[in-house]
Amino acid sequence: MLDFISGGQAPIYFILLCIFLGIEIISNVPAILHTPLMSGANAIHGVILAGAIITMYHVPSDDYLNLTLGFLAVLLGTLNISGGFFVTGRILSMFSKKK
Amino acid sequence: MTILLEVSYFLAMISFIIGLKFLSSPQRAKLGNIIAGSGMTLAIVVTVIHTFFGGPVTINLILIIVAILLGTILGKRMSDKAEMTKMPQLVSYFNAMGGGCALLLGIIEGQQLYYGHQVDRVAEVVLMTAMMIGATSFSGSVIAYLKLSGKQKDIRTPFVSIASRLLLVAMIAVPFLVSYQLLQLNLIQEIILLGSLATLYGVVFVFPIGGADMPVVISLLNSLTGVATALAGIMFHNLLMISGGIFVGSAGVLLTLLMCKAMNRSLWNVLAGSFKNAVIGNNTSGAEMEITRTSIGELATNLAFSSKVAIIPGYGLAVAQAQHLCTQLEQLLESKGIEVDYIIHPVAGRMPGHMNVLLAEADVHYDKLREMDEVNDNMSSYDISIVIGANDVVNPAAETDSSSPIFGMPIIKAYNSKQVVVIKRGMSKGYAGVENSLFGEDNCHLLFADAKEALSGVIGELKTVNF
């Protein structure tokens, strides 16, 4: 299962690079944009929905309890993504209004 | 088919990076949001196609499609309806959704691991950690949501802080005890126990945190969900989930620390819900402070004779719904050739950068918004600073009085401008519960009125004056 971690150093490099990239990308954000940035980042962690879809695939079709839980997981993940991006869009539209 | 998945995941990851990068420039932010959103949509659609391609149409697939459609519509409707003052609640709410998703994933995957009869303790621990972080973020965000919408008060009893410490210890200890078989639990029981502990922990973790510390907590919870996503990604060997989760996690931590710095509070103090309240009452001026009152008419006259004006807004302005009046005043003054700037403290509002959004909603152009550090050195060039709905962020005690609870917090040096007018309803203290020594300064005048009334009064007066 965890051959990803034990499969050599590449994954560790990948994770470390992601951490630095994450810090680097947002280190110069002006304070005006903190709110949209946060809500944009909020939408991006909704990518956990991909996991929910894969999990849902493995649930046996007669396992109603887990089907329900999986349904909820997909629903929550989607809400996270769609709500996140739509809200960010709305916040940003406030900034671009012309006077 | 796998190549399709890999290519689209790669594109999605690039889109996240570009999206986040573009979000840091006012001109390109909108495009950035669209790019990241498209990348996400691509990744999700391809995940569904790849996972179910060629197989029969199962109930699982139908449920997934229904859930995705339902979620998209609901998310769109909720974000369309919300007012800008309620943004922090909404962000917390959507964050809770992500955390909840991680919690549910942990529960389902745990059962599959258990019935799969694979004994891989490392995988189990990764799964449980992802689930616990997700659960904490879920319940914490729900409480944050309730607090921000005023449905839940701060609870700061010793019981809460003891409970939160005990829960934290238990969450770390249980997996160890089970690993060394000191606690006889099967994986499912363990997951349910840990999931409940973590959910409870999220609740007691946010309970004691005060209103002004909310920006810190929201961004911390956001970052926690990112970490949960990354851990879940390790579980699924999914590079997109890992990278997306880590970007959000590290960006969130950075933002959290930035907020802490802006308030001169250590992260630990915010989390412990403590304020140095022992020193309150150590009077520097206290009740004897002499204040000068002013009137709407006088303020209007003074404004008419000024050439450069600063407006220092706080959350109180938004509570009074006076942002639009603020804009009117600004436009009126500008039409008479008076320069107007808004000076915004980094923690004004209820989430990072919230005040900027509220003013933008009221049609204030972002060129007019000045950050604290940008103007602090030449505050004396302003003829009048109008402080509306802000208090602690202009309190000079933060610089001069080492016994003050807010000592060391960076403030807007409003006292350096030629005249300061503070519009507030009464002599109430700010969030930190300290006297504001600014009110006693000679150049400071207080206007006791509701922000809305005061502003519309001033606008009315100014319109009648020819200047």
Side-chain angles (χ1 to χ4, degrees):
Chain A
M1 169 96 183
L2 274 208
D3 30 324
F4 176 79
I5 289 289
S6 48
Q9 296 158 323
I12 312 285
Y13 279 97
F14 180 76
I15 290 174
L16 284 178
L17 281 175
C18 283
I19 295 177
F20 281 112
L21 201 55
I23 295 173
E24 190 50 41
I25 297 171
I26 77 133
S27 56
N28 293 320
V29 179
I32 329 173
L33 287 173
H34 278 163
T35 296
L37 174 77
M38 231 179 82
S39 103
N42 185 24
I44 286 176
H45 65 52
V47 71
I48 195 164
L49 174 58
I53 293 169
I54 300 167
T55 298
M56 193 64 175
Y57 173 70
H58 294 294
V59 173
S61 292
D62 54 354
D63 185 350
Y64 296 113
L65 173 66
N66 281 326
L67 277 181
T68 315
L69 293 178
F71 175 78
L72 278 177
V74 175
L75 181 65
L76 296 189
T78 316
L79 263 175
N80 187 176
I81 296 176
S82 73
F85 282 117
F86 285 131
V87 159
T88 314
R90 264 201 73 201
I91 298 175
L92 290 172
S93 68
M94 296 296 155
F95 286 106
S96 56
K97 274 190 297 192
K98 287 273 170 284
K99 278 175 67 173
Chain B
M1 273 315 269
T2 313
I3 187 78
L4 174 67
L5 186 76
E6 279 172 4
V7 170
S8 41
Y9 273 14
F10 183 73
L11 288 177
M13 188 174 92
I14 302 290
S15 81
F16 293 169
I17 298 175
I18 295 177
L20 285 172
K21 185 76 204 161
F22 277 18
L23 274 174
S24 53
S25 104
Q27 290 81 23
R28 292 185 301 184
K30 231 176 169 177
L31 180 64
N33 187 44
I34 292 168
I35 292 177
S38 320
M40 181 70 84
T41 314
L42 174 75
I44 296 306
V45 170
V46 173
T47 306
V48 176
I49 294 174
H50 179 259
T51 314
F52 288 91
F53 186 74
V57 176
T58 53
I59 178 144
N60 307 41
L61 178 59
I62 296 169
L63 284 177
I64 288 176
I65 292 173
V66 172
I68 290 181
L69 289 179
L70 201 63
T72 312
I73 295 167
L74 278 178
K76 170 90 175 121
R77 290 185 80 187
M78 289 185 67
S79 57
D80 279 351
K81 271 197 290 184
E83 298 154 38
M84 284 297 140
T85 36
K86 303 221 169 86
M87 274 307 126
Q89 285 95 304
L90 205 61
V91 172
S92 293
Y93 180 85
F94 290 133
N95 189 44
M97 299 295 108
C101 186
L103 169 63
L104 291 171
L105 275 195
I107 295 172
I108 305 170
E109 279 295 305
Q111 295 171 43
Q112 288 176 356
L113 219 57
Y114 179 67
Y115 293 116
H117 301 292
Q118 280 176 316
V119 186
D120 184 345
R121 192 60 189 160
V122 183
E124 288 176 12
V125 171
V126 171
L127 173 124
M128 287 184 292
T129 316
M131 179 200 66
M132 284 194 285
I133 296 178
T136 304
S137 169
F138 167 67
S139 58
S141 300
V142 170
I143 299 295
Y145 168 79
L146 292 174
K147 283 179 124 181
L148 287 164
S149 29
K151 291 173 191 150
Q152 170 69 50
K153 293 226 156 53
D154 304 350
I155 299 180
R156 242 174 258 170
T157 57
F159 173 75
V160 171
S161 60
I162 294 170
S164 87
R165 270 159 224 177
L166 283 180
L167 282 168
L168 194 59
V169 171
M171 277 156 58
I172 297 166
V174 168
F176 276 105
L177 293 177
V178 174
S179 293
Y180 294 103
Q181 298 185 333
L182 295 167
L183 199 62
Q184 298 290 338
L185 289 178
N186 69 33
L187 184 60
I188 294 179
Q189 293 166 332
E190 192 184 359
I191 281 180
I192 289 174
L193 174 65
L194 286 174
S196 329
L197 287 179
T199 309
L200 266 178
Y201 177 68
V203 174
V204 292
F205 162 71
V206 183
F207 260 164
I209 297 174
D213 286 337
M214 265 331 188
V216 179
V217 179
I218 301 175
S219 78
L220 187 68
L221 289 171
N222 196 14
S223 142
L224 276 184
T225 315
V227 175
T229 305
L231 285 169
I234 292 177
M235 216 162 72
F236 290 104
H237 301 204
N238 188 317
L239 290 180
L240 183 64
M241 283 166 73
I242 299 177
S243 54
I246 292 179
F247 293 153
V248 179
S250 52
V253 169
L254 193 68
L255 208 53
T256 309
L257 294 176
L258 230 100
M259 290 299 113
C260 287
K261 210 177 113 212
M263 295 194 294
N264 192 39
R265 314 256 332 253
S266 72
L267 185 55
W268 179 248
N269 276 342
V270 173
L271 298 188
S274 63
F275 233 116
K276 288 189 285 177
N277 45 12
V279 284
I280 289 183
N282 186 341
N283 55 326
T284 40
S285 48
E288 305 101 65
M289 192 160 63
E290 273 188 34
I291 58 163
T292 323
R293 300 178 72 148
T294 185
S295 65
I296 289 175
E298 195 181 342
L299 174 58
T301 317
N302 286 337
L303 281 173
F305 286 108
S306 61
S307 59
K308 201 174 172 193
V309 175
I311 298 178
I312 304 174
Y315 190 63
L317 174 77
V319 172
Q321 288 291 318
Q323 308 96 296
H324 289 274
L325 284 169
C326 223
T327 322
Q328 279 184 34
L329 177 64
E330 176 215 317
Q331 284 165 352
L332 187 61
L333 291 173
E334 277 170 348
S335 68
K336 312 282 184 192
I338 300 168
E339 204 180 314
V340 182
D341 282 336
Y342 291 86
I343 305 175
I344 296 172
H345 194 271
V347 293
R350 285 293 175 270
M351 75 186 279
H354 190 201
M355 202 65 232
N356 301 284
V357 177
L358 295 173
L359 289 174
E361 189 196 15
D363 289 326
V364 176
H365 198 264
Y366 55 71
D367 291 341
K368 296 262 151 230
L369 307 176
R370 298 272 175 269
E371 286 182 37
M372 176 178 75
D373 295 334
E374 204 180 321
V375 289
N376 248 350
D377 292 334
N378 44 14
M379 279 307 290
S380 51
S381 67
Y382 291 101
D383 297 312
I384 301 183
S385 294
I386 312 175
V387 179
I388 314 168
N391 193 344
D392 294 329
V393 296
V394 289
N395 190 347
E399 291 180 334
T400 52
D401 179 6
S402 61
S403 67
S404 170
I406 58 168
F407 182 70
M409 177 171 108
I411 58 157
I412 299 172
K413 299 176 198 276
Y415 60 85
N416 273 342
S417 55
K418 291 180 190 111
Q419 193 189 63
V420 187
V421 176
V422 181
I423 301 178
K424 65 200 308 285
R425 268 182 296 195
M427 273 306 279
S428 64
K429 294 166 179 168
Y431 168 71
V434 275
E435 291 289 348
N436 195 335
S437 57
L438 174 70
F439 302 161
E441 303 275 335
D442 292 337
N443 62 346
C444 178
H445 302 253
L446 282 97
L447 178 57
F448 289 113
D450 174 71
K452 220 170 178 170
E453 284 167 26
L455 285 173
S456 51
V458 170
I459 294 169
E461 292 273 340
L462 277 176
K463 276 184 178 156
T464 60
V465 194
N466 265 328
F467 62 95

